[in-house]
Amino acid sequence: METLDIQTIISRIDQLVLAPAKKILDTLPPEYVPLILGTAAAVAFIVTLLVIVLSRPSKKGAEAPISIPGQLRKEGAIIDIALPGAPTSICGRAVVTAAKRDRIRLEMIENAGSVIIKQGAEILLMFRPQKTQAGKVNSFVTQVINTENRDGLCSRLCVEVPENYQNTPRRQHRRKRVVDQQFIRVKVWLGSPETLPSEFSDAVPDLAVNSYDPRAGGHENNSVINISKGGIGVSASPELVKNKFTLDCDVVVNIFMFNFRQKIFKPYWYAGKVRAIEDHDSSNFRIGVEFTRSGAMQDEDEQTIEWIDL
């Protein structure tokens, strides 16, 4: 709506209120004049307020955009670092420690030793999807301003504030949400195939889903969220996760899944790393595991597993 100045407002009041009122006053007896003048003054005051309110520019759509770097810093969100155009090849992970107008400061929490994190390099930063007026975004491309190194690897870096954000497809494998929990059973042991004893499959799992063990409790409320060829996501009780599982810790996973074609349960073995631990509502934790190797049993006693890199 067009913004009106004071002179225009006064002119409209004179035209719409005062002039008609003067004509009416000229035709009325003198005793009605005070009443009419009071009424006209009240009407003029109300009209003035309405004109001022309606003439103010709308604030809709003029709100300042959400500071995504500031929100990521507040949440302590983990940022994946990759090359533009290669979102599945993660070379490091970091957290935002400062978000300023001209730069974003990050501290590395994991570095794969890649040489791409250096001054002047263009990198892709990816994070949990954030809602904006234009839709959901989960990444941006930026340039490294400077870095700090420790033991030959980047430990801290500053990057430019992006001009725009984007929604980058990050899934190499399509996830399948598990609706009916009765058709899948999962056991997770902490450790790698090299560190676990050969008879580990008979041991109480560190985390179990739909696979109960009379020797341990607390697994009853766990569930599988989704599964793909590249990993699995489970929901677990806090007491089974806290002080036990950490980011990037090694795990061995046994998935006992129902094969509808053969009408039987079949075992699948994987080794991997915990890539995500999220506290959803203090009553459930989400754990995401990335598969790095698949295994096949080599004997009838199910004690020898041959591992193949994925």
Side-chain angles (χ1 to χ4, degrees):
M1 178 177 290
E2 179 186 0
T3 302
L4 303 177
D5 56 26
I6 297 299
Q7 187 61 43
T8 303
I9 294 173
I10 294 174
S11 299
R12 289 193 177 182
I13 293 174
D14 182 65
Q15 178 185 0
L16 300 175
V17 179
L18 298 182
K22 185 178 179 181
K23 291 181 179 179
I24 295 174
L25 286 174
D26 292 339
T27 62
L28 291 176
E31 60 269 20
Y32 289 97
V33 172
L35 179 61
I36 297 299
L37 288 176
T39 304
V43 172
F45 178 73
I46 294 173
V47 171
T48 302
L49 288 179
L50 289 174
V51 172
I52 292 174
V53 170
L54 294 176
S55 64
R56 294 174 63 184
S58 174
K59 290 185 177 181
K60 187 176 181 181
E63 298 178 357
I66 298 174
S67 171
I68 291 179
Q71 184 66 24
L72 296 174
R73 182 197 62 78
K74 182 179 179 181
E75 294 177 356
I78 296 176
I79 313 296
D80 290 342
I81 304 176
L83 278 174
T88 60
S89 300
I90 307 299
C91 68
R93 290 181 168 87
V95 292
V96 176
T97 56
K100 300 183 178 180
R101 290 184 177 181
D102 61 340
R103 63 185 57 200
I104 304 169
R105 186 177 298 124
L106 303 101
E107 181 159 352
M108 300 294 297
I109 58 175
E110 177 187 341
N111 196 323
S114 174
V115 296
I116 73 165
I117 307 177
K118 60 183 180 180
Q119 184 175 349
E122 197 173 61
I123 57 176
L124 173 67
L125 301 186
M126 298 175 290
F127 44 87
R128 185 190 304 177
Q130 301 283 324
K131 291 184 178 179
T132 67
Q133 292 181 349
K136 286 186 178 181
V137 296
N138 70 348
S139 60
F140 62 89
V141 176
T142 184
Q143 192 170 43
V144 178
I145 299 174
N146 57 58
T147 63
E148 296 179 25
N149 297 332
R150 186 192 311 142
D151 299 328
L153 296 176
C154 176
S155 58
R156 295 185 181 90
L157 67 154
C158 283
V159 300
E160 295 178 351
V161 176
E163 294 182 358
N164 52 67
Y165 297 86
Q166 58 199 39
N167 191 16
T168 302
R170 300 183 56 185
R171 304 299 173 196
Q172 186 176 5
H173 304 285
R174 184 180 179 183
R175 290 179 172 183
K176 181 178 181 181
R177 184 167 292 276
V178 177
V179 178
D180 198 332
Q181 299 291 321
Q182 66 177 319
F183 294 115
I184 185 169
R185 304 167 189 171
V186 179
K187 293 181 180 180
V188 182
W189 293 267
L190 278 166
S192 66
E194 291 76 22
T195 59
L196 286 173
S198 59
E199 66 277 6
F200 78 90
S201 59
D202 292 329
V204 177
D206 294 287
L207 182 64
V209 180
N210 305 325
S211 183
Y212 310 123
D213 193 311
R215 296 169 293 177
H219 302 273
E220 293 77 13
N221 295 325
N222 300 340
S223 61
V224 180
I225 301 173
N226 52 52
I227 187 171
S228 73
K229 293 181 179 179
I232 190 170
V234 301
S235 175
S237 303
E239 59 268 19
L240 298 175
V241 177
K242 290 181 178 179
N243 304 318
K244 182 183 291 186
F245 291 90
T246 58
L247 285 176
D248 298 313
C249 67
D250 293 311
V251 292
V252 173
V253 183
N254 172 238
I255 302 175
F256 209 49
M257 193 181 306
F258 188 75
N259 187 303
F260 287 91
R261 183 172 298 176
Q262 300 178 12
K263 307 299 183 185
I264 59 172
F265 276 93
K266 295 186 67 175
Y268 301 87
W269 290 90
Y270 295 96
K273 288 183 176 292
V274 173
R275 293 303 190 190
I277 301 178
E278 301 173 4
D279 183 354
H280 271 195
D281 53 10
S282 298
S283 61
N284 284 288
F285 276 67
R286 180 190 178 280
I287 297 182
V289 176
E290 177 189 6
F291 299 148
T292 56
R293 286 185 276 182
S294 64
M297 284 293 179
Q298 298 298 303
D299 58 14
E300 295 181 356
D301 295 330
E302 296 190 351
Q303 297 297 329
T304 304
I305 304 176
E306 181 181 356
W307 297 99
I308 303 174
D309 291 338
L310 294 177

